[in-house]
Structures are given as C-alpha cells and as structure tokens.
Amino acid sequence: MTDSTPDVPGREPRPPDRLAAAAPETGPVRRRVDDPGDRLRAARLGPADVVRLGGTGLRTRPLRVFLSALGIAIGVAAMIAVVGISGSGQAEVDRRLDALGTNLLRVAPGESLTGEKARLPHEAVAMVRRIPPVRQVAATGATDAHVYRNDHIAIGRTGSLTVLAAGTDLLPAVGGQVRRGRWLDSATGGYPAVVLGATAAQRLDVYTPGTRVWLGGRWFSLIGVLEPVPLAPELDSAALVGWSAARTYLRFDGHPSTVYVRAEDSRVAAVRAVLPATAYPEKPGEVRISRPSDALAAREATESALTGLLLGLGGVALLVGGVGVGNTMVISVLERRPEIGLRRALGATKGQIRTQFVTESLLLSLIGGLAGTVLGTLITAGYALSRDWPTVVPAWASLAGVASTLVIGAIAGLYPAVRASGLSPTEALSGP
C-alpha cells in the first residue's frame, strides 16, 4: 500500500507507514478480542475496604444491630460473670485459708467395737501437746446442758444449740475472733460466764455483753459474742463456758469431745499419722482425725460443679444470641437484594459478596462479645465488692468469650453470605 498524499514543495517526503508496510495485503490489522489485556478485572478489596464495607450494613440499621448484639452480649456476660464470681469466691477461700492456716487438725472420738460413742481420755490434750511439731492444742467438751434466752422458755426448745466447755486457749487455736465483748480468761473461766457463737447469738437474739441467759438451770452472764469460725463451724451454734465452770455448775465429766491441734505446716501429715495413738494409746482405732481445710476444699469443689452448670446455661444463651445474628443476616440479605444486584452488575465477584456479609456478621458478633465482656466484668466486680471479695476475672475467660462470639458469628453469617453471592444481577435487581 502506498501513501496517496501528494508531496508538498519544500518539505521532505513523508516516510512510509511502518504499520502499513508490515500489514499483509489482504486487509487491515485486527486485534483479537480475547486478548487477556482486554478482559475486565474485578477491583481488589483490601482489609480496610472489607471492614468499611461490612460496617456500612450495620450503620444503616442501628436498632436491629443493637438488639442482635444484645443477645450475644447477654450470653457472654453470663459466662464471664459465672467464671468471675466463681474465681472471686475461690480467691476469697484461699485468702481465708492463708489467714487461718491449713495446719489445723481435729481429733474426735469415733465409735467403739460395740457401736457406742467412744470417749477421749482426760489426758488426751496433755499427751498431744508433747508431739514436737505441735504448736497449739485446745479442746472443747460436750455437756448435757441447754441454753435458753430466759427461764420462761419451754424445756426442749433448744434451737439446736449446744453447750460446750472450752479452755482459754481455744480461740487462738481455731483462728476465731470476738465480735463483741471478750473471750474467756483465767478470771471468768471459773464463774458462770458464757460466750455465744455467731449463730447462737442470732437464735437467742442476745448480743449485748452483760445480758443474762438461762443455761443449765441457772443464770449465766454473757461476756462476749464470736465472729463466725470457718475452720470450726460447730462453735457458731454453741454456748461456750469455762472448763472449770462447766465442772462446777454443769456436772461436766472432763472428757474432751474435740481436740484442735495446730502443727508445723511441713509436718502436718506426720503429726496426723501419730495423733490417734497419741491421743488414745489404748484404743487408737476409736479416734477420728479430720482436717477442717479439707471440708472447705470439698465445698469449693461443689461450687465448681455448680459453676459448670451455670456455664452451660451461659453457653445456651450465647447460642441463642448466635441464632439471632443468623436471623438478622438472612433478613438483611432479603432486604438488600437490589444492592447486591447493583454491586454484581458493577463487577463485584461472588467471593467479594460472601466476604462482605461474613465480615458484617463478624463485626456484629464482635460488638456483642466486647459489650458482654465489659458487662460481665462489671457484674463480677459489683458482686465481689458487695461481699468484700477480691475481684478476679480470668483473662482466658474474656478471650474465650470473644473468640466464641467470632466463631458463632462466622457460622451464623456463612449461609446468608453464600445465599447473597448466589444471586445473579438480573435476579437481584428484579426484586423479591
């Protein structure tokens, strides 16, 4: 092919067209329409774009988002509160045991071979005190007396209260403290004076030192009221009189019914092993040895079982919240069909539509999870402060609560996301 444009005088001749020279004589050059450079490529969404796109659906429906997130928050808050309150209670038990000590052993008579109640010898306290690792020994003795508020109360209406003879060294040995008044001493231990346990004072409705109570058929003067004794709860429902006063006024036989022993922390097991033969050398098989801190540990294990049950209920609440999130996302897909169709018509891929709705579900669950974690922590703190407990919220509980909400959010948003991505542009734009 030749250039038909005439040469202009004074101008150099135009060079031949290279493209034309290279083209075949059969026709003009045609480019292939299926060239990869001519294909339309979908825009790529970065992480920030995905989050922004997922948050758009939440901002446009604030009330529905609030109600759905509230269901998740209640479930997470229940789980956090249960774990937190249980952990705070355990921390309180540990604190009390640290203050009271776990080195307290209780020696009590068991049963004889004939099935009758055994009795510890009079010398049991003195013999136990000779064990080298033993640091404190104190005893109480059961009496047949009863205590009443006054002498007009019918005989037999004892309120399940007991009267015990006690030595002056009992309170330090069991870690007890006086709430009002004072404890028995060498001066009051031989006179008709009484100290009431916390429960006994409540049932008798007697709290003021100096008040008289009817005990063993005569008047005794109240000199003190005790705080609850965690390691010796039997003292809470008892009226305690001096050892010599019990012998004088209540016909007490002098046999100890319970001996409390404090030993070195590192030698508790060794002391426990020799206590039966030491307290009752003639019949060591009729002696029972117990450790009050074990009872507290058993109660803690019972509370742990209850905590597991409550955690299950919290998990059910969390599952219900997840169902609410899934329901919200399904309705959102139905309402936003035109939006989905428009985005598909503009080139959005199925994967981008799925990512959008899964992200929206994850953000909704994350909001509920974080709100529930804060709410559960506040509930735990409020309850712990009301009981004067240390506030303990394990970090793993908070992380597990948020992680579980994300898993539930992903599962709840998966089906709506797949359903949304399966809509063709024409189907979505045509309406429901």
Side-chain angles (χ1 to χ4, degrees), residues 7-13:
D7 293 338
V8 180
R11 179 183 298 178
E12 295 181 1

Side-chain angles (χ1 to χ4, degrees), residues 59-431:
R59 291 194 300 269
T60 56
R61 297 165 180 81
L63 180 58
R64 184 178 299 170
V65 169
F66 171 77
L67 294 178
S68 299
L70 182 61
I72 290 287
I74 291 175
V76 174
M79 295 177 64
I80 297 295
V82 168
V83 175
I85 292 175
S86 176
S88 300
Q90 181 178 353
E92 174 65 14
V93 171
D94 293 340
R95 188 183 71 171
R96 289 186 179 183
L97 288 177
D98 290 339
L100 299 174
T102 59
N103 59 342
L104 178 64
L105 298 172
R106 181 190 288 116
V107 182
E111 293 182 354
S112 63
L113 295 177
T114 59
E116 298 178 354
K117 181 74 172 180
R119 293 198 304 175
L120 295 176
H122 295 87
E123 302 82 8
V125 174
M127 291 187 294
V128 170
R129 189 174 284 118
R130 296 175 182 175
I131 302 176
V134 170
R135 292 292 172 261
Q136 289 178 307
V137 181
T140 58
T143 69
D144 295 328
H146 299 289
V147 59
Y148 303 94
R149 179 188 174 103
N150 53 55
D151 56 348
H152 299 293
I153 305 297
I155 297 176
R157 300 182 62 180
T158 62
S160 300
L161 302 180
T162 59
V163 178
L164 300 176
T168 57
D169 51 359
L170 173 65
L171 210 58
V174 298
Q177 294 190 6
V178 177
R179 177 187 299 175
R180 293 184 181 179
R182 59 196 179 96
W183 176 242
L184 298 167
D185 53 27
S186 57
T188 58
Y191 291 91
V194 61
V195 175
L196 295 178
T199 304
Q202 181 181 6
R203 292 178 183 174
L204 294 175
D205 195 22
V206 176
Y207 303 95
T208 306
T211 305
R212 296 193 307 169
V213 294
W214 188 251
L215 193 156
R218 63 173 300 137
W219 292 105
F220 274 64
S221 179
L222 178 67
I223 62 172
V225 176
L226 300 180
E227 295 279 1
V229 186
L231 294 182
E234 64 275 7
L235 300 182
D236 294 341
S237 58
L240 303 166
V241 300
W243 199 272
S244 58
R247 282 178 171 270
T248 303
Y249 303 106
L250 305 178
R251 297 185 296 276
F252 173 52
D253 58 10
H255 288 276
S257 58
T258 305
V259 179
Y260 301 94
V261 182
R262 288 276 186 179
E264 295 179 3
D265 293 336
S266 59
R267 306 291 299 277
V268 172
V271 172
R272 185 173 186 174
V274 301
L275 271 178
T278 305
Y280 202 171
E282 296 179 359
K283 300 178 181 179
E286 297 181 4
V287 178
R288 293 187 293 110
I289 310 296
S290 61
R291 193 172 181 179
S293 57
D294 293 340
L296 293 179
R299 185 179 68 181
E300 183 179 339
T302 303
E303 293 176 352
S304 299
L306 180 62
T307 298
L309 175 61
L310 296 178
L311 277 177
L313 296 177
V316 172
L318 188 60
L319 181 60
V320 172
V323 173
V325 170
N327 183 48
T328 298
M329 297 307 302
V330 170
I331 296 176
S332 179
V333 169
L334 295 176
E335 291 181 347
R336 296 162 63 184
R337 287 166 63 99
E339 173 193 340
I340 297 171
L342 182 59
R343 292 200 61 222
R344 293 282 283 123
L346 293 177
T349 64
K350 292 183 178 182
Q352 291 175 347
I353 297 297
R354 286 194 296 267
T355 303
Q356 173 187 350
F357 280 90
V358 170
T359 302
E360 186 173 328
S361 178
L362 288 174
L363 289 176
L364 180 58
S365 300
L366 181 62
I367 293 173
L370 294 177
T373 300
V374 174
L375 180 61
T377 303
L378 293 177
I379 293 174
T380 300
Y383 186 83
L385 290 175
S386 67
R387 301 292 298 272
D388 196 22
W389 290 358
T391 303
V392 177
V393 179
W396 65 264
S398 301
L399 294 177
V402 176
S404 61
T405 58
L406 293 178
V407 172
I408 290 178
I411 296 175
L414 186 59
Y415 169 72
V418 172
R419 180 174 180 176
S421 65
L423 296 175
S424 63
T426 55
E427 181 185 1
L429 290 172
S430 63

